Amino acid sequence: MNKIFFKVAAFYTFSDLLNLEELQEIFICFLKKEDIKGTVLLANEGVNGTLAGTEASIDRFKNFLQSNNLYQAQNFKISTCEEEPFTRLKVKLKNEIVSIGNESADPRKIVGEYVQPKDWNNLISQDNVLILDVRNTYEVSIGTFKKSIQPETTNFREFPDWLDNQESSGIKKNITVAMFCTGGIRCEKASSLMKA
């Protein structure tokens, strides 16, 4: 007997969105029609979510994002699982797609430079590079890079306060920072705040 595998899409895009209630209904109608479950967050700054469905339905969802100018290949990650990971669909309207609570952090306007995976080890091996782990403490407990600094935040909204404390204690503004996180979205917000 063949097993059914679910395709899981984790995705985000920073983009100027208007008419959020209308967009919410468009997402709900499409996802229900495709029997896709999970959570989508919509805000004026973009979209963020994790959804699961059949391989064909997730492929159609990718096309749906592309047709609405909400798809970025590097921010659309696919995995599979044998059991349905989500029991229902939620499409929520939020103030931010990842909450940092500081309006200076706007990746649509300013963001750090992206580093290709093949270049990462070379970057972090340089003496003048500060390695910053912007994941939460429970994620760091799984493992991190040697010599990385972790702000010891339990919530990403604590990052701006941590950064303010670093600036007042003399962290150099012109130092190169190599930043990493779980899926990329926090790095975009944190780097935007740091550059601002």
Side-chain angles (χ1 to χ4, degrees):
M1 186 170 167
N2 290 339
K3 282 192 173 201
I4 296 174
F5 287 92
F6 291 90
K7 198 169 185 180
V8 180
F11 60 94
Y12 73 92
T13 301
F14 285 101
S15 178
D16 293 319
L17 298 183
L18 302 171
N19 305 319
L20 292 179
E21 292 84 3
E22 183 181 325
L23 188 58
Q24 180 184 39
E25 284 305 313
I26 292 169
F27 265 82
I28 290 170
C29 289
F30 178 86
L31 295 169
K32 281 186 175 179
K33 183 182 80 151
E34 294 292 338
D35 195 28
I36 296 174
K37 296 176 182 162
T39 300
V40 175
L41 305 179
L42 297 170
N44 292 119
E45 68 177 4
V47 60
N48 180 15
T50 306
L51 297 169
T54 64
E55 181 172 357
S57 66
I58 294 299
D59 288 344
R60 285 190 290 272
F61 175 67
K62 177 179 161 185
N63 293 335
F64 167 83
L65 288 177
Q66 288 172 327
S67 67
N68 286 283
N69 297 315
L70 293 172
Y71 175 79
Q72 292 179 323
Q74 73 272 16
N75 300 335
F76 191 87
K77 313 264 186 342
I78 293 293
S79 59
T80 58
C81 58
E82 293 182 15
E83 295 181 17
E84 193 167 25
F86 308 115
T87 57
R88 60 189 175 136
L89 172 66
K90 296 180 275 186
V91 180
K92 300 178 179 182
L93 302 182
K94 295 286 193 175
N95 292 327
E96 299 177 87
I97 58 173
V98 60
S99 295
I100 196 169
N102 188 307
E103 292 180 8
S104 296
D106 188 348
R108 295 168 298 173
K109 294 178 181 167
I110 186 170
V111 71
E113 296 175 34
Y114 300 94
V115 177
Q116 294 299 316
K118 65 181 178 56
D119 300 325
W120 177 255
N121 286 341
N122 184 49
L123 174 63
I124 65 171
S125 66
Q126 297 173 28
D127 291 334
N128 61 338
V129 173
L130 173 73
I131 307 166
L132 183 59
D133 185 342
V134 293
R135 299 174 303 155
N136 295 333
T137 50
Y138 71 92
E139 295 169 301
V140 173
S141 67
I142 296 167
T144 191
F145 288 96
K146 289 180 184 176
K147 299 181 185 175
S148 66
I149 294 172
Q150 201 277 323
E152 297 181 12
T153 57
T154 55
N155 184 305
F156 191 48
R157 292 179 74 85
E158 298 168 7
F159 183 79
D161 289 337
W162 176 84
L163 183 59
D164 285 344
N165 289 334
Q166 299 310 301
E167 288 176 352
S168 64
S169 66
I171 194 169
K172 297 175 188 170
K173 286 196 177 222
N174 60 351
I175 192 166
T176 299
V177 176
M179 183 182 299
F180 65 97
C181 57
T182 307
I185 193 167
R186 279 187 238 158
C187 288
E188 291 203 41
K189 273 279 182 99
S191 71
S192 179
L193 179 63
M194 291 180 81
K195 288 182 83 66

